[in-house]
Amino acid sequence: MPEAKFNKYVGASDKFVGLSAAPSAPELVVNGGFADGSSWSPPGPEMNFLGGTLNAVAAPAFTGIDQAIAFEAGATYIVKFDVTARTAGNVRISFINGTQRNGTLRAAVGSYTEELVANAGNNAVVVFAVAVGSTWSIDNLSIKKKV
């Protein structure tokens, strides 16, 4: 839980002048807006970066892209992303290597937030199509350590 910072009381009446929360944790994903393929493993022919989204087009099961992230074992991470289009299959965000930590399967357009606890050895995030023939687009992937 963020530590609150209290501002001082001022004047003869000791009027309270504000409360502010500690700054949020830093963003861990580089290029979570999928402007291009930079910072991500090269996609196979069934995935592409177009129009600022990651797109799966009739992707085979377990097709995905990944990015190295230094996760802390036992720490909780807040994962957010938008499924902006979907006609088939599903998408999942997972922490890989070590014992894989899977997010929830998503099979509908929407904005999603979930918490994942990193396992020992998790050192990358993967965005992948789980079902055969998955066709979807995602954007705005964000992962931050919960504070």
Side-chain angles (χ1 to χ4, degrees), residues 2-121:
E3 180 181 313
K5 294 180 181 178
F6 294 90
N7 293 327
K8 64 182 180 178
Y9 287 91
V10 295
S13 65
D14 282 339
K15 180 180 175 186
F16 182 67
V17 293
L19 170 71
S20 60
S24 66
E27 178 58 54
L28 299 176
V29 176
V30 176
N31 189 21
F34 303 108
D36 55 34
S38 64
S39 304
W40 292 97
S41 63
E46 299 84 7
M47 289 189 145
N48 62 59
F49 302 94
L50 290 175
T53 59
L54 171 64
N55 308 288
V57 181
F62 305 106
T63 299
I65 61 166
D66 63 85
Q67 181 179 121
I69 294 178
F71 293 111
E72 177 186 333
T76 301
Y77 293 86
I78 299 169
V79 178
K80 296 181 180 184
F81 64 99
D82 300 324
V83 177
T84 58
R86 182 209 166 264
T87 56
N90 45 41
V91 60
R92 173 180 273 163
I93 310 297
S94 296
F95 300 168
I96 59 171
N97 302 321
T99 301
Q100 185 166 313
R101 176 65 71 183
N102 291 319
T104 304
L105 286 173
R106 304 298 181 178
V109 170
S111 295
Y112 298 100
T113 300
E114 56 194 36
E115 293 185 1
L116 297 178
V117 177
N119 289 317

